[in-house]
Amino acid sequence: QAFESELGAQAPLGFYDPLGFLDRADQETFDRLRYVELKHGRISQLAFVGNLFTRAGNHLPGDINYEGQSFASFPNGLAAINGPDSISSSGLLQIFAFIAFLEIRVMTDVTGDSEFRGDFRNGFDFGWDKQTEEWKMQKRAVELNQGRAAMMGILGLMVHEQIGGTFPIVGAM
């Protein structure tokens, strides 16, 4: 395997590619797949924390539309986008348009100075450049693993939501 020493191949699994996606892959393909994994991990972290946050009863203040419906008036989880009390189609369209804007204009390497695919600092340092290479690799590995855990976590929350019942920490689904 050509990618056994790459970032993310760490204990306890080491290099894990059970379906053989990387058997005939080159470095460019691997980098693209790693970038996609990183992006999905970041989105999953937001989804997981957002799911727990709203299930705890926290919602944005104010109304979501001009009809006076508050953010709290919509259900949590998948029911917010699919069901009798879900957000309207025009509201979902606005959400998707905002996500598209973020994808095209914000979550990109604007300056061309990124150290790796997925590095979207775009001129804002936050102390990253002052750190050692070992520290940077460790932080990138932590983010990758947290993203992997969040992908499994949000998948579990969505499955449990469809099953129904009460679960520890989350409560009634």
Side-chain angles (χ1 to χ4, degrees), residues 116-136:
F116 55 92
R117 291 183 79 171
D119 176 10
F120 300 138
R121 289 177 291 142
N122 293 321
F124 299 101
D125 182 15
F126 306 111
W128 180 264
D129 290 334
K130 296 178 182 129
Q131 303 300 328
T132 65
E133 288 303 315
E134 294 165 352
W135 184 91
K136 291 178 184 180

Side-chain angles (χ1 to χ4, degrees), residues 13-137:
L13 294 178
F15 179 75
Y16 186 71
D17 182 25
L19 299 178
F21 287 124
L22 298 172
D23 286 347
R24 291 182 296 275
D26 58 3
Q27 187 66 43
E28 183 178 336
T29 302
F30 176 82
D31 290 343
R32 183 189 166 283
L33 291 173
R34 176 51 48 86
Y35 168 69
V36 169
E37 180 184 15
L38 185 62
K39 181 187 283 189
H40 285 135
R42 290 172 177 171
I43 292 167
S44 296
Q45 289 175 60
L46 291 170
F48 185 83
V49 172
N51 196 306
L52 293 181
F53 190 78
T54 56
R55 288 191 186 282
N58 301 304
H59 299 278
L60 293 173
D63 296 334
I64 195 171
N65 58 22
Y66 292 121
E67 284 98 40
Q69 291 178 304
S70 68
F71 286 96
S73 68
F74 292 96
N76 297 317
L78 292 173
I81 60 172
N82 184 22
D85 299 324
S86 64
I87 299 170
S88 68
S89 297
S90 61
L92 289 176
L93 183 63
Q94 290 175 39
I95 292 170
F96 289 127
F98 179 66
I99 292 170
F101 168 76
L102 290 176
E103 276 290 313
I104 295 167
R105 303 296 293 164
V106 178
M107 298 310 232
T108 60
D109 179 19
V110 176
T111 62
D113 295 331
S114 65
E115 289 183 30
F116 55 92
R117 291 183 79 171
D119 176 10
F120 300 138
R121 289 177 291 142
N122 293 321
F124 299 101
D125 182 15
F126 306 111
W128 180 264
D129 290 334
K130 296 178 182 129
Q131 303 300 328
T132 65
E133 288 303 315
E134 294 165 352
W135 184 91
K136 291 178 184 180
M137 290 301 282

Side-chain angles (χ1 to χ4, degrees), residues 55 157 159-173:
R55 288 191 186 282
L157 286 175
V159 168
H160 284 39
E161 181 179 350
Q162 296 305 306
I163 293 172
T166 303
F167 298 94
I169 299 175
V170 180
M173 298 296 266

